[in-house]
Structure formats: structure tokens, C-alpha cells
């Protein structure tokens, strides 16, 4: 089935803060404050939470419903400790996790619900597993924290400019002469300058919303300003932000998390944005949608992580138009991740794989009237 519904008003009127609140988890959660930063290269012992097909990046939100009795007991016993820290990994093998790279997460709120624990956590620091063991049903590991601090610029004396305002704008401009005083031409050094790479990745990411004059998916001015500021102020963290928001496979996300150097990570992201223009079914490779129809229904960007009432996590990309999907079941507002919408299951026409959901506004004045949340794509 091809979605041919076109919004009558391109502007988004929906309150895009709502999905970030994860209100479906309840409103009586205990809020936790505090922050613990483990020193880079320091070895710490932390509990591990293995989450298959989920990759957590630093500073990104992770909602959870934990049903495992051992982990529920662990969280309950440590309810008075500040802050709760655990490690999240996407296990690449069933047993040997030594050498795997994951991200520490700190609990920001938690709430007991019958036999389950509802949690909102935030990713903090990347780590490498040095030793792993199982105790009383809980995974533990000695982890070494990865140092993600990197110099933002190359030395100014690597180049001679006739216009010093262009010191970090390697693109040739009229009237600007760039002379390398190093062993390599200026464009080689540019591939390792975080500020230059962050600006290029930022511009390419923003263009994903503006391709072919697509006003429906254009990035709002306030969000564009945030992206601009983020790319300039913290290119290392911006490389993680881009990695989290791109509509890519779990394998690609894991590769970006494992990339130790932010410059290489940004270059990989630029290459992904240059070469990948379609969303495909990850089972039969049937075309599902075009990447220039991806847009943000959340102020946190076009991709977010949500948890259903059974505890299953979904990393969802929001998109305006799709094709080759069929709808199943009746629309429902129960446990909806986007308050004000009703969801309906969407499956691939080719192989029947569950691809995500179609969301229809319960109020006819809400824009967009309809959009799609896609979860299993290649």
C-alpha cells in the first residue's frame, strides 16, 4: 500500500515536546538527580543490561520497562543511591562480551509497576568491557571508560591564509588563498579537523529535510538553530547526535559507536548521508520510503527510542510518506508514544514483516494528520 495522503498545511502544529516526556510510562515516577562521571581509562565495575538490536549513544534517552526479577530487585535495593549507573550493550555474541563497546546509562526516573520497573535513563560515557560475569541473575563487568575528548582544530601554523577569518573554512572562496606549510595539501588536514567535519555533517543532515524543496519535512527554524549551535560548540558530542538520528541499520549504529575517533565517525556519517537515499525492508529489501521524507515529530530529532507495555524497545524513524506497507488491526490510542494520535500496525507487503506503525491524529486540526513510524529497515 502506498501512502498518498498529503497534508493540507505543511507546517507542523503538533507539540513536539510531548514524545520526549514518555508520558505512557506514567506520571508518578520518582525523579533522580545527580551525575557521576567516571574518569577516562579508569576501570569500574558496573551492572550490565544487554539489549539486542539497541545501540545507546552518549546523552541520548533510553526508556525501559524491566521485568527481569533480578534487575528489578537490584534497582529496588539501590533506590536510595545517587545516581544509578549501569552499562548498556548490544551483545554481538551470546557469551563472550569481552572487548565489546557499550555506553553507561544513568537513571533519571523510576517507578515500580506491579512486577516491573519503569525507567528513564540517559546515555553518558562509552566503555570497553575488560571482564564479564553473571551473579544472582545480573550481568556485571569491569569496564574501561573511553576518552572522548579530542582537540577541535588543527594548529593554525599548518596553513598560511591571506584572510585569517577563513582559517577553518577550507573551501576555496573568491579572493582567498590557502597555502599549506605542512607536508600535505590543505584538504588532507581538513579530513581531521572536527569543526570542519561537524559543519559539513550539519549541513548535509539539514539538507535531508530540505531536499527537492520538500516543505513538509523542512527542519523548523528553532531546531535548525539548535543543530547549528550544537555542531559548533561540541563536535564530538554532535557526532553522537548525528549517529543517533540517522535512519540506519543497527549494524551501522554499532559501527559508529565503536569508532574511537570523532573525525572518522563524522566522515562515516557524511559517507552514509551521501550514499543512502532509501528506507528498505530489512528482510526482503522492498522499498518502504525515501530518506528525504524523514522528518521530526520530536524536538529530539527524527529518530527516537520508545518502549511498549511488554518491555520491547523500538528505535523509531518518523516519515511523512511510505509505500509497500499494509495496515493491520484497528487504530488504538493505548500506550501511544505520540499523545494525540492513534496507532495502527504496518507490515511489509512483500514478506509480512512488522515494519512499524501508522499514526493518525485524533483531532482533525492537528498537523500532520497522518505520519508513519518505521522501525525495521535496512
Amino acid at each position: 500500500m502506498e501512502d498518498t495522503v498529503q497534508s493540507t498545511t505543511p507546517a507542523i502544529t503538533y507539540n513536539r515536546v510531548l514524545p520526549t516526556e514518555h508520558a505512557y510510562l506514567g506520571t508518578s515516577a520518582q525523579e533522580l538527580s545527580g551525575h557521576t562521571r567516571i574518569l577516562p581509562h579508569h576501570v569500574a565495575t558496573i551492572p550490565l543490561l544487554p539489549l539486542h538490536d539497541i545501540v545507546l549513544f552518549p546523552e541520548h534517552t533510553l526508556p525501559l520497562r524491566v521485568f527481569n526479577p533480578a534487575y528489578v530487585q537490584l534497582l529496588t535495593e539501590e533506590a536510595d543511591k545517587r545516581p544509578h549507573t549501569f552499562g548498556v550493550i548490544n551483545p554481538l555474541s551470546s557469551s563472550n562480551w569481552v572487548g565489546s563497546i557499550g555506553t553507561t546509562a544513568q537513571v533519571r526516573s523510576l517507578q515500580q509497576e506491579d512486577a516491573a520497573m519503569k525507567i528513564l535513563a540517559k546515555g553518558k560515557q562509552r566503555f570497553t568491557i575488560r571482564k564479564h560475569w553473571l551473579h544472582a541473575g545480573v550481568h556485571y563487568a569491569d569496564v574501561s571508560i573511553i576518552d572522548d575528548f579530542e582537540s577541535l582544530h588543527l594548529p593554525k601554523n599548518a596553513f598560511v591564509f591571506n584572510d585569517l577569518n577563513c582559517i577553518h573554512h577550507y573551501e576555496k572562496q573568491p579572493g582567498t588563498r590557502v597555502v599549506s606549510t605542512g607536508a600535505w595539501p590543505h584538504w588532507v588536514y581538513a579530513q581531521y579537523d572536527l569543526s570542519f567535519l561537524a559543519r559539513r555533517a550539519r549541513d548535509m543532515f539539514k539538507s535531508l529535510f530540505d531536499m527537492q524543496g520538500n516543505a513538509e519535512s523542512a527542519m523548523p527554524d528553532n531546531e535548525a538553530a539548535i543543530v547549528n549551535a550544537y555542531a559548533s560548540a561540541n563536535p564530538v558530542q554532535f557526532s553522537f547526535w548525528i549517529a543517533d538520528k540517522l535512519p540506519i541499520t543497527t549494524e551501522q549504529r554499532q559501527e559508529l559507536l565503536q569508532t574511537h575517533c570523532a573525525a572518522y565517525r563524522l566522515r562515516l556519517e557524511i559517507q552514509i548521508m551521501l550514499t543512502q537515499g532509501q528506507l528498505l525492508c530489512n528482510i526482503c529489501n522492498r522499498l518502504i520510503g525515501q530518506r528525504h521524507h524523514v522528518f521530526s515529530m520530536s524536538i529530539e530529532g527524527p529518530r527516537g527510542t520508545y518502549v511498549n507495555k511488554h518491555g520491547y524497545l523500538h528505535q523509531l524513524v518518523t516519515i511523512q510518506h511510505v509505500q509497500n506497507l499494509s495496515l493491520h488491526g484497528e487504530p488504538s490510542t493505548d500506550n501511544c508514544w505520540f499523545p494525540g494520535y492513534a496507532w495502527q500496525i504496518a507490515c511489509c507487503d512483500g514478506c509480512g514483516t512488522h515494519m512499524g506503525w501508522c499514526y493518525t491524529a485524533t483531532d482533525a486540526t492537528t498537523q500532520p494528520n497522518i505520519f508513519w513510524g518505521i522501525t525495521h529497515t535496512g
Side-chain angles (χ1 to χ4, degrees), residues 43-63:
V43 176
T45 300
I46 58 174
L48 280 184
L49 184 61
L51 298 174
H52 292 273
D53 295 327
I54 297 296
V55 178
L56 178 65
F57 291 99
E59 296 304 318
H60 292 280
T61 301
L62 179 68

Side-chain angles (χ1 to χ4, degrees), residues 87-378:
V88 174
I89 65 164
N90 172 32
L92 302 179
S93 70
S94 58
S95 56
N96 185 17
W97 297 351
V98 174
S100 297
I101 292 178
T103 305
T104 64
Q106 290 192 354
V107 177
R108 311 312 299 171
S109 69
L110 75 167
Q111 179 181 351
Q112 185 87 31
E113 180 188 53
D114 299 328
M117 186 71 78
K118 298 187 292 187
I119 296 171
L120 268 183
K122 176 167 281 192
K124 287 300 179 183
Q125 296 173 276
R126 294 188 305 146
F127 61 77
T128 303
I129 295 179
R130 303 280 294 273
K131 182 181 178 182
H132 160 245
W133 66 95
L134 187 66
H135 174 70
V138 176
H139 292 276
Y140 289 89
D142 289 339
V143 302
S144 177
I145 299 299
I146 297 172
D147 188 356
D148 278 320
F149 174 80
E150 299 185 45
S151 176
L152 302 185
H153 301 299
L154 295 172
K156 289 185 178 181
N157 60 8
F159 307 103
V160 176
F161 290 79
N162 69 341
D163 179 0
L164 290 181
N165 291 326
C166 298
I167 189 68
H168 288 300
H169 293 270
Y170 297 104
E171 298 88 349
K172 199 77 181 235
Q173 300 177 12
T176 300
R177 179 169 57 88
V178 183
V179 179
S180 172
T181 61
W184 305 97
H186 69 87
W187 60 265
V188 174
Y189 291 96
Q191 300 306 305
Y192 298 90
D193 186 308
L194 290 185
S195 291
F196 170 77
L197 292 169
R199 286 196 306 272
R200 188 177 179 199
R202 172 204 64 193
D203 293 342
M204 293 189 67
F205 183 83
K206 289 166 62 178
S207 75
L208 291 177
F209 296 86
D210 300 325
M211 287 175 61
Q212 301 180 4
N214 185 18
E216 288 181 322
S217 57
M219 183 179 290
D221 291 341
N222 60 337
E223 185 173 318
I226 293 172
V227 172
N228 288 340
Y230 207 2
S232 300
N234 194 335
V236 175
Q237 187 55 47
F238 184 68
S239 72
F240 293 127
W241 189 91
I242 287 279
D244 187 68
K245 301 310 174 188
L246 286 176
I248 54 179
T249 65
T250 301
E251 291 74 19
Q252 289 173 308
R253 289 169 64 83
Q254 186 67 35
E255 181 182 8
L256 291 172
L257 181 71
Q258 293 177 176
T259 302
H260 283 279
C261 174
Y264 282 111
R265 189 179 306 112
L266 286 164
R267 285 160 58 184
L268 278 172
E269 291 160 354
I270 290 167
Q271 185 64 26
I272 289 170
M273 289 187 281
L274 280 172
T275 58
Q276 297 189 355
Q278 297 179 329
L279 299 178
L280 307 175
C281 173
N282 64 345
I283 300 299
C284 67
N285 287 329
R286 184 163 295 212
L287 177 64
I288 301 301
Q290 302 291 341
R291 292 190 190 271
H292 63 262
H293 285 147
V294 172
F295 77 115
S296 295
M297 276 296 288
S298 163
I299 59 170
E300 293 184 344
R303 184 170 187 146
T305 303
Y306 306 93
V307 60
N308 69 15
K309 61 185 179 182
H310 304 294
Y312 292 102
L313 284 165
H314 295 277
Q315 294 187 314
L316 202 70
V317 174
T318 49
I319 183 170
Q320 282 274 1
H321 308 296
V322 300
Q323 58 193 78
N324 297 318
L325 293 183
S326 56
L327 298 178
H328 299 266
E330 296 297 323
S332 172
T333 59
D334 180 44
N335 204 66
C336 188
W337 302 327
F338 300 90
Y341 284 84
W343 55 265
Q344 199 170 1
I345 293 173
C347 296
C348 174
D349 282 343
C351 62
T353 298
H354 172 219
M355 297 300 300
W357 298 266
C358 174
Y359 291 91
T360 306
T362 56
D363 183 341
T365 63
T366 301
Q367 293 294 335
N369 301 119
I370 184 173
F371 72 94
W372 303 74
I374 304 301
T375 183
H376 295 141
T377 60

Side-chain angles (χ1 to χ4, degrees), residues 47-93:
L48 280 184
L49 184 61
L51 298 174
H52 292 273
D53 295 327
I54 297 296
V55 178
L56 178 65
F57 291 99
E59 296 304 318
H60 292 280
T61 301
L62 179 68
L64 293 168
R65 275 190 171 102
V66 179
F67 291 90
N68 185 312
Y71 282 90
V72 171
Q73 181 179 353
L74 175 70
L75 290 165
T76 302
E77 291 174 349
E78 298 189 354
D80 294 330
K81 295 183 181 180
R82 300 292 188 273
H84 306 283
T85 299
F86 60 93
V88 174
I89 65 164
N90 172 32
L92 302 179
S93 70

